[in-house]
Amino acid sequence: MWSSKQYVPRKYHDMLDKEGGAKKAYYESIKDSRRTTVTREELVSFVWHYRFKARAGKHWTQDDPYWKGHPCRTISMLADGSIVWGVAFSP
């Protein structure tokens, strides 16, 4: 049901074990997919990969590893509000 999805919140997986849970989990996850915000749990669950777009301007792209032919930067956001810079990422 979610095999093509990159991320499905744990609470919907947990619903599968309950009676009638598969149908409820499916419908609730569809409803949840329309959200336009990221939860704190989601924010701290991922390693984020980013680069500046060219239209950001030379001021921003001149120090961006991606624009120097290197992999993009990564960051992890921690529950205490701190940020950990990771190594560059190459897909």
Side-chain angles (χ1 to χ4, degrees):
M1 143 166 77
W2 299 310
S3 62
S4 65
K5 304 302 177 202
Q6 290 293 316
Y7 174 77
V8 176
R10 170 98 329 251
K11 64 183 175 182
Y12 302 119
H13 290 280
D14 294 344
M15 284 182 188
L16 295 175
D17 296 332
K18 299 179 177 143
E19 186 176 331
K23 186 175 181 180
K24 182 175 181 179
Y26 173 74
Y27 285 110
E28 290 293 320
S29 69
I30 295 296
K31 187 167 63 172
D32 184 70
S33 73
R34 296 183 184 102
R35 275 189 299 128
T36 57
T37 59
V38 177
T39 67
R40 183 180 184 89
E41 175 189 341
E42 292 164 341
L43 194 62
V44 301
S45 296
F46 298 105
V47 173
W48 297 84
H49 308 103
Y50 76 95
R51 65 177 177 83
F52 289 103
K53 293 184 177 182
R55 69 179 172 198
K58 188 122 179 118
H59 177 77
W60 293 103
T61 60
Q62 68 187 359
D63 293 326
D64 188 337
Y66 175 84
W67 292 103
K68 294 178 178 182
H70 301 286
C72 63
R73 290 180 173 152
T74 64
I75 61 171
S76 296
M77 299 176 197
L78 305 181
D80 67 2
S82 61
I83 295 175
V84 176
W85 292 90
V87 295
F89 172 78
S90 182

